[in-house]
Amino acid sequence: MHNQLFQAAVENATVHRYPTLRIGRLMEQWYQELAAGAEDMGMSQTDYASFAYGLQSKKDCDAMALENAMSIAKQEMVLTAIAKAENITVSQEEYNRYYTEYLDAFTAEGYTEEYMVEYYGGKEGLSQQFLMELVAIRLEEQGNIPS
């Protein structure tokens, strides 16, 4: 998603209301990744947040998690709008293929299928993720996102 046109679309998009549940889930994921990074480095989460991001307080962490979540949600919303405008949908065959690919990646990292499904917020979240993959592929094929 490093394409200038896509980034311009995201930057110029106006979000009237962010999906509260999605923002909460994205913030939760940010904190999970922070905890994993801290564990990998043998540090406390506070020390790791300071080391990795220069964050000094829980308030700073919350602000970064929220900013990150809003950025991701906005990108997802733009991709969803593109999918709707271009009539891009996920077929059952594509869903099954992506599911298998994602499951292989998650299990290779030591995670369970249940964790993967939970991570993406259930079947609906997985479908949304796969839709975003298809949109990105179609944009790349059209030359709008460099490979």
Side-chain angles (χ1 to χ4, degrees), residues 14-52:
T14 301
V15 177
H16 297 285
R17 193 178 92 221
Y18 284 92
T20 306
L21 291 175
R22 184 68 180 141
I23 293 295
R25 183 67 182 128
L26 289 167
M27 289 179 70
E28 182 181 313
Q29 287 174 354
W30 187 87
Y31 273 105
Q32 288 172 349
E33 290 168 13
L34 180 76
E39 184 177 327
D40 288 346
M41 296 291 289
M43 303 171 91
S44 71
Q45 288 185 30
T46 303
D47 289 343
Y48 182 74
S50 178
F51 168 77

Side-chain angles (χ1 to χ4, degrees), residues 57-71:
S57 68
K58 172 82 165 104
K59 184 178 178 181
D60 291 343
C61 287
D62 288 345
M64 179 171 259
L66 179 59
E67 180 181 330
N68 181 64
M70 290 172 71
S71 175

Side-chain angles (χ1 to χ4, degrees), residues 85-146:
E86 297 294 323
N87 199 29
I88 299 171
T89 59
V90 180
S91 70
Q92 188 62 49
E93 179 183 318
E94 290 165 323
Y95 182 91
N96 292 342
R97 180 171 49 85
Y98 278 119
Y99 192 94
T100 300
E101 288 175 11
Y102 274 56
L103 182 58
D104 288 348
F106 267 76
T107 55
E109 293 293 322
Y111 297 108
T112 65
E113 181 175 10
E114 292 77 20
Y115 177 82
M116 178 190 76
V117 172
E118 180 185 326
Y119 182 85
Y120 286 105
K123 186 175 181 175
E124 182 64 31
L126 282 165
S127 292
Q128 182 71 13
Q129 180 66 27
F130 301 158
L131 179 63
M132 288 185 292
E133 291 274 350
L134 285 175
V135 169
I137 288 167
R138 301 274 164 75
L139 290 175
E140 185 176 310
E141 289 170 352
Q142 295 171 8
N144 294 331
I145 293 182

